[in-house]
Amino acid sequence: MERSRGPWWYVVIAIVVLVGIQVPRSHAQLASAEAEALFRQGKELMAANKIADACTTFDLSQKLDPKSTTLLNQANCREQNGQLATAWALYLEAVRQMRTATDAASQQLRSVAADRAARLERRLSTLRIDVPAESSLPGLQVFRNDQLSDPGAWNRPLPLDGGTYRISARAPGAVEWSSDITVAAEGDAKQIVIPRLKPAEVAPGPGPGAGGGAGASGPRIPTPQGSTGVWTTRRKLAAGLAGGGVLAVAVGGVLGASARSKQSDAHALCPSPQACDGADRANDLIRSGHNLAIGADVAFGVAAAAMLAAGALWFTGAPESPHGLAVVPVLSPGQAVLTACGSF
C-alpha cells in the first residue's frame, strides 16, 4: 500500500522548481551586468581615443548580451579604426535586426545605421580573386590568409578592410602557389589572378634497362635503397635476424646441456651395459639425450644461418650516399650471386 505524501513533499517540489528557474535567470543577469560594464568601458576608451581597445571591448559586450545599441557602437568603432568593410557589414546587420521595430527609438537607430551604411559603401576597397578556367583544377582551394574562399566568391570584387593579404592556392598533386597583395583602407580596387598550378614533382622510378644492361629475361639487379639514417629497412631486418640468432644459440645451449645431462645419468645408472639391471632405463636416457643433441645441433645451425643473413643484410642495407659501393644479392633461377653496384 503506497504511503500518502504529506504537504512537505509539495513544498520540496516547489523549491526545486523555483531554484531551477532562478539559476538560469541569475546567470543571464550576471552576463547582462558584465556586458553593461564592458559597454561603458568601451565608451570611455573611445573618448580617450583608444580605438582598437574600445572595439575589442564592444565586441566582448555584444557577445555576452547582444543589443542593437552595442552593435551600432561596434560599427562606429570599426569605422573610426579604418576597418570600413567590417563597419559596413555591422551597420547592415543593425538595419536587419531592427527591420521589424515599431518603437520610435529603434526606428531612429535603424535610420542612422542605414544612412551610415550607404555612405560607407561608396568608400569601400575591394579585392577580386580571379580563377580562370584553365586554373580551376579538380579540388582547387583558394585561401585569403588562413580563410578558405568559397568558389562562389571567385571572380567577383568583394569589399574588405585595408591591409596586406596572403593569397594562396592548392590542389591535389600540384605545387602550392601564394602571393601577397596590399589593399588600401579606402577606395582601392585590387585584382589578383590565380595561375595554373604546376604539377608536383614525382621521384623517377628505375627504368626497364636498369641493372647493368641486363635484358628483360635476365636477372634484375635491385638498386640500393637510400635512407635518411643508419637504420634502413634492411638493417632493421638484420637486427631482427641477429636477435633471432642469439635466441637460437641460447636454445641450442640449453638443449646441449640437457643432452649431456641425459648421457651422464645413463652412464651413472648403468656403467656396464653387459651386466646392468637398469639397462632399459639407461638406453631410454641415451636415446633422449641423442634427440636433445640433434635439437641443439639444429638450433646452432639456425643461429649460424641467421647471423650470416643478418651480416649480409646489415652491409647491403647501408644508407645510400652520393659516392659509395653496395653489395647486393641477386637471385635468379639456377643462380645466386653477389653484385656490386654504386657510384664513384
Side-chain angles (χ1 to χ4, degrees):
M1 181 178 191
E2 184 180 1
R3 188 167 54 183
S4 100
R5 296 168 176 161
W8 61 270
W9 178 256
Y10 300 100
V11 173
V12 170
I13 294 176
I15 292 174
V16 170
V17 171
L18 288 174
V19 169
I21 294 173
Q22 290 297 325
V23 168
R25 182 180 299 174
S26 63
H27 283 303
Q29 290 172 347
L30 179 60
S32 179
E34 292 177 352
E36 178 62 27
L38 287 168
F39 179 81
R40 295 179 182 181
Q41 292 173 19
K43 298 288 284 187
E44 293 172 359
L45 290 168
M46 285 286 289
N49 203 32
K50 297 180 179 179
I51 307 300
D53 292 338
C55 293
T56 302
T57 307
F58 284 132
D59 291 345
L60 290 173
S61 177
Q62 181 70 358
K63 184 177 180 180
L64 287 172
D65 188 16
K67 290 183 177 179
S68 299
T69 52
T70 308
L71 185 58
L72 284 173
N73 278 273
Q74 279 183 288
N76 177 59
C77 189
R78 296 298 176 181
E79 181 179 358
Q80 299 300 319
N81 201 41
Q83 297 172 271
L84 304 187
T86 299
W88 178 67
L90 290 171
Y91 282 131
L92 291 179
E93 176 62 18
V95 171
R96 187 192 66 80
Q97 290 185 8
M98 293 182 286
R99 181 172 297 148
T100 58
T102 56
D103 59 289
S106 296
Q107 289 179 351
Q108 178 65 25
L109 289 176
R110 179 179 179 275
S111 177
V112 170
D115 180 64
R116 292 199 174 185
R119 287 190 290 109
L120 271 184
E121 188 171 2
R122 297 188 291 268
R123 301 166 54 195
L124 296 178
S125 293
T126 61
L127 174 63
R128 177 185 173 115
I129 301 177
D130 277 344
V131 182
E134 62 272 14
S135 301
S136 186
L137 300 177
L140 179 69
Q141 291 181 315
V142 178
F143 293 85
R144 189 183 70 219
N145 291 342
D146 294 328
Q147 182 180 1
L148 179 64
S149 177
D150 189 276
W154 299 348
N155 307 313
R156 301 173 185 270
L158 297 177
L160 79 171
D161 297 330
T164 299
Y165 297 89
R166 168 63 61 91
I167 309 301
S168 57
R170 65 185 66 158
V175 178
E176 182 174 341
W177 171 90
S178 65
S179 181
D180 292 338
I181 188 168
T182 300
V183 181
E186 183 174 348
D188 196 6
K190 289 293 179 63
Q191 179 183 7
I192 189 168
V193 179
I194 305 299
R196 184 176 179 83
L197 303 185
K198 297 179 180 178
E201 293 184 2
V202 180
S217 59
R220 183 174 180 178
I221 301 176
T223 304
Q225 299 296 318
S227 176
T228 56
V230 174
W231 290 100
T232 61
T233 302
R234 288 190 181 186
R235 287 197 164 182
K236 290 177 182 178
L237 290 174
L241 284 174
V246 171
L247 180 61
V249 169
V251 172
V254 171
L255 292 176
S258 297
R260 288 192 296 272
S261 177
K262 296 288 185 182
Q263 293 285 347
S264 298
D265 291 344
H267 287 297
L269 181 63
C270 188
S272 177
Q274 290 77 11
C276 179
D277 294 336
D280 292 338
R281 173 60 180 161
N283 289 331
D284 289 340
L285 289 172
I286 291 173
R287 283 193 295 270
S288 177
H290 181 68
N291 292 334
L292 290 172
I294 293 175
D297 291 341
V298 171
F300 287 131
V302 170
M307 290 300 184
L308 288 174
L313 286 173
W314 180 268
F315 288 110
T316 61
E320 184 181 6
S321 60
H323 302 287
L325 176 68
V327 179
V328 185
V330 178
L331 302 178
S332 63
Q335 61 178 343
V337 296
L338 293 178
T339 303
C341 59
S343 58
F344 301 89

